Amino acid sequence: MPTPYSDATDSLFHYRSFTAFWLARTASSFGFQMLSIAVGWQIYSLTGSAFDLGLIGLVQFLPAVLLALPAGHIADQFDRRRVVLLGQATEWIAIAVLAGLTLAHRTDEILLLSLIFIISVARTLEAPSLQSMLPALVPPAILARATAANAASMQTASMMGPALGGLIYVAGPGVVYATTAALYLISILMVSRLRYDHAPPPRTPATFASVFAGIHFIRRRPDVLGVISLDLFAVLLGGATALLPIFAKDILHTGPWGLGLLRGAPAVGGLLVGFWLSRRSLERNVGKIMFASVAGFGVATLLFAFSTQLWLSLLALFALGGFDMVSMVIRGALVQLDTPDDMRGRVSAVNSIFINTSNQLGEFESGMLAAWLGAAPAVAVGGVGTLLVVGLWMAWFPTLRSRQRLHNG
């Protein structure tokens, strides 16, 4: 397990708290990746309908967008650890029901989609509380390293979770769901043992102003606004991965095995850089490093667009994932450190809306542009657009460009 702690002055309290948090996130992330692969395969086996596969994405996307702001308000009004426990307990019950019904051969697509919807609602309501807990578990000076260690575990889950779920699926979808339920139970146990000191402010009724306070806060903080909007436009424009099947078949002239390598290359790059960042502190020039990383993301996108060799395309995607991890760690730590604790839930909720929306719209933008221009020109336009955004954001957010440290305090 990667650990961001190496100095003798780091307290045992912080180490144990972060370890429990890291184990909880790793277990639940692996479980969710396994769940996703099993549900998709099972629904397609039952119906043979591509439309039903699309519905899986819809029942997950709608709660993520519609409930994110109320979830942020909840995170700032209640004990975050309890909110996370309630959300994960709800997910565990739904997964356990899914496992039981599947093992009893009493499932259909409506029931599967309904349970996935319940899980998605619980995940959405839990997410801002979970994201806001990390700054209270580690000292500010090593938050970036803790963020990198956490991101590396997420990358590992996204790489290995689907493969593990597919392997276990040989024994039947019910076995995958039972395994997922066991992983969620581990996560619940870790969160319940977490020593997390958070005194929520006196509760106030949910009003339009309080629910949307995260948006108003971001607008008043140039560095936070710059970081979140940079992430939004970089993801919107850098949608190369959505077109990988076209590149694999028509440009690189490879088969499914080549497509698998292409899909895995960004995750491998991100994982290795995440491990490296988890053991090193970012002490100076964090603004310039972040902008350079996003620019590197754009250059790697351009290299991929013009490559006609599999090895060069893999190298470009590997670099793309690495650059994205650097900027993601800096962005994530900076937003958390520049946000007071009583606002972190609502700011995290706004950030998650931007991320979810930009991912979906980025894939749509890439597909539409590829239909008009072709796959390679569409990706090249995205790479050039990313570089233009970096230049504009450096001019529009000078304090972010010149920022030296993640923690200004």
Side-chain angles (χ1 to χ4, degrees), residues 182-349:
L183 287 169
Y184 266 83
L185 187 58
I186 292 173
S187 180
I188 291 170
L189 291 174
M190 288 296 101
V191 174
S192 67
R193 293 171 58 87
L194 189 64
R195 295 181 62 188
Y196 175 69
D197 296 324
H198 172 244
R203 296 177 188 173
T204 58
T207 63
F208 183 88
S210 66
V211 170
F212 284 83
I215 296 176
H216 298 306
F217 175 86
I218 291 170
R219 291 178 59 187
R220 295 195 303 269
R221 298 295 194 281
D223 285 5
V224 177
L225 175 61
V227 164
I228 291 179
S229 57
L230 177 66
D231 182 39
L232 169 66
F233 285 100
V235 173
L236 272 174
L237 295 169
T241 54
L243 304 177
L244 286 182
I246 300 175
F247 277 85
K249 182 179 180 182
D250 299 334
I251 297 175
L252 302 175
H253 306 292
T254 185
W257 64 273
L259 176 59
L261 291 177
L262 292 169
R263 286 196 178 278
V268 173
L271 176 63
L272 293 179
V273 172
F275 274 113
W276 184 79
L277 288 174
S278 72
R279 298 181 177 277
R280 287 166 176 79
S281 297
L282 296 168
E283 299 291 347
R284 295 187 303 169
N285 297 318
V286 295
K288 291 183 176 65
I289 292 173
M290 182 190 67
F291 280 116
S293 298
V294 180
F297 180 92
V299 171
T301 301
L302 281 171
L303 179 61
F304 176 78
F306 293 115
S307 170
T308 57
Q309 300 294 323
L310 179 60
W311 68 268
L312 184 58
S313 297
L314 289 172
L315 181 63
L317 291 173
F318 177 88
L320 183 148
F323 283 124
D324 187 50
M325 175 61 75
V326 175
S327 62
M328 182 177 69
V329 167
I330 294 176
R331 294 193 310 262
L334 190 149
V335 169
Q336 294 282 18
L337 290 171
D338 275 17
T339 305
D341 185 68
D342 62 348
M343 285 294 302
R344 281 188 178 128
R346 282 166 285 184
V347 171
S348 295

Side-chain angles (χ1 to χ4, degrees), residues 353-373:
I353 290 177
F354 283 6
I355 292 173
N356 287 327
T357 303
S358 60
N359 282 329
Q360 300 288 336
L361 291 181
E363 292 183 3
F364 176 74
E365 175 267 336
S366 296
M368 293 299 295
L369 204 57
W372 295 335
L373 303 176

Side-chain angles (χ1 to χ4, degrees), residues 5-15 139 141-142 145:
Y5 307 102
S6 56
D7 301 329
T9 55
D10 291 334
S11 69
L12 186 60
F13 168 80
H14 290 301
Y15 176 76
I142 56 174
R145 295 164 65 188

Side-chain angles (χ1 to χ4, degrees), residues 4-236:
Y5 307 102
S6 56
D7 301 329
T9 55
D10 291 334
S11 69
L12 186 60
F13 168 80
H14 290 301
Y15 176 76
R16 287 178 174 174
S17 296
F18 177 76
T19 299
F21 180 85
W22 187 89
L23 289 172
R25 294 219 66 180
T26 301
S28 60
S29 295
F30 262 93
F32 184 75
Q33 292 294 336
M34 294 167 60
L35 175 72
S36 298
I37 200 75
V39 166
W41 194 275
Q42 186 180 16
I43 284 185
Y44 193 68
S45 298
L46 288 171
T47 68
S49 169
F51 177 76
D52 284 343
L53 287 178
L55 289 178
I56 298 175
L58 182 64
V59 299
Q60 294 180 81
F61 176 73
L62 289 178
V65 173
L66 298 178
L67 299 179
L69 292 181
H73 177 82
I74 291 171
D76 290 334
Q77 292 290 309
F78 297 89
D79 186 297
R80 290 168 183 158
R81 188 171 71 96
R82 293 183 179 179
V83 174
V84 172
L85 283 173
L86 179 61
Q88 293 198 346
T90 303
E91 294 164 52
W92 180 83
I93 291 171
I95 295 167
V97 171
L98 187 56
L101 292 175
T102 301
L103 290 170
H105 304 288
R106 300 184 61 183
T107 55
D108 56 47
E109 66 273 19
I110 300 299
L111 184 58
L112 287 169
L113 290 171
S114 299
L115 289 169
I116 293 301
F117 179 77
I118 293 171
I119 293 170
S120 300
V121 169
R123 280 175 58 85
T124 299
L125 295 177
E126 163 204 341
S129 294
L130 187 63
Q131 295 166 11
S132 302
M133 288 175 67
L134 186 56
L137 301 177
V138 298
I142 56 174
L143 178 61
R145 295 164 65 188
T147 301
N150 193 51
S153 73
M154 302 301 102
Q155 289 281 30
T156 303
S158 67
M159 288 169 55
M160 299 179 61
L164 185 59
L167 182 64
I168 298 175
Y169 196 95
V170 174
V175 179
V176 181
Y177 300 141
T179 306
T180 299
L183 287 169
Y184 266 83
L185 187 58
I186 292 173
S187 180
I188 291 170
L189 291 174
M190 288 296 101
V191 174
S192 67
R193 293 171 58 87
L194 189 64
R195 295 181 62 188
Y196 175 69
D197 296 324
H198 172 244
R203 296 177 188 173
T204 58
T207 63
F208 183 88
S210 66
V211 170
F212 284 83
I215 296 176
H216 298 306
F217 175 86
I218 291 170
R219 291 178 59 187
R220 295 195 303 269
R221 298 295 194 281
D223 285 5
V224 177
L225 175 61
V227 164
I228 291 179
S229 57
L230 177 66
D231 182 39
L232 169 66
F233 285 100
V235 173
L236 272 174

